[in-house]
Amino acid sequence: MRVKTLEFLEAHQSETPSKWREEAEWRRENASWLRHSQQIAVKVLLKMKELQLTQKALAERMNCTQQYVSKILKGKENLSLDTMTRLEEALEIRLVYPEVEVCV
């Protein structure tokens, strides 16, 4: 049985080495901002659903590419304040400190 299992694994091993360890270490090292990025992604997705807005339409509102919007929505993008502001303006929501009222 053991020989069969080893033969099966050898026959089906990947040509390229796995990067799971590097990816896990990266997630651990960046956990603090990833948590915020994921929370923002969820808020954006919910608002897009409410507005029936596509990634392409959001990208047009933000003056960026659809590919960049896709990266944001995956929750793995380290967002700048500029990007968060453009998201807020495009969706008319507050992402940062939503409980604070803005006085202008």
Side-chain angles (χ1 to χ4, degrees):
M1 178 78 159
R2 180 180 166 138
V3 172
K4 253 185 165 177
T5 303
L6 287 174
E7 288 173 358
F8 176 84
L9 291 173
E10 287 173 356
H12 293 90
Q13 71 183 5
S14 175
E15 298 282 328
T16 58
S18 174
K19 295 185 179 186
W20 70 268
R21 181 183 298 276
E22 291 88 356
E23 292 171 3
E25 288 172 358
W26 180 85
R27 283 192 305 274
R28 183 180 299 136
E29 291 167 2
N30 297 287
S32 59
W33 68 260
L34 276 169
R35 184 180 73 251
H36 294 293
S37 182
Q38 291 163 354
Q39 291 171 346
I40 289 170
V42 168
K43 288 180 184 179
V44 170
L45 282 165
L46 290 172
K47 189 64 174 185
M48 287 175 66
K49 183 176 181 179
E50 177 186 320
L51 299 173
Q52 297 181 341
L53 205 60
T54 64
Q55 290 183 17
K56 183 178 179 182
L58 179 57
E60 289 171 1
R61 289 183 180 195
M62 292 178 60
N63 195 28
C64 69
T65 65
Q66 182 272 326
Q67 289 82 359
Y68 186 61
V69 170
S70 177
K71 287 175 74 173
I72 292 169
L73 297 177
K74 289 178 183 175
K76 295 182 180 180
E77 189 68 14
N78 193 350
L79 303 170
S80 68
L81 290 172
D82 177 59
T83 300
M84 288 189 285
T85 300
R86 288 193 286 150
L87 277 167
E88 288 181 332
E89 290 172 354
L91 297 171
E92 297 180 357
I93 60 173
R94 298 280 300 172
L95 297 171
V96 182
Y97 304 117
E99 67 282 352
V100 176
E101 196 64 34
V102 178
C103 299
V104 183

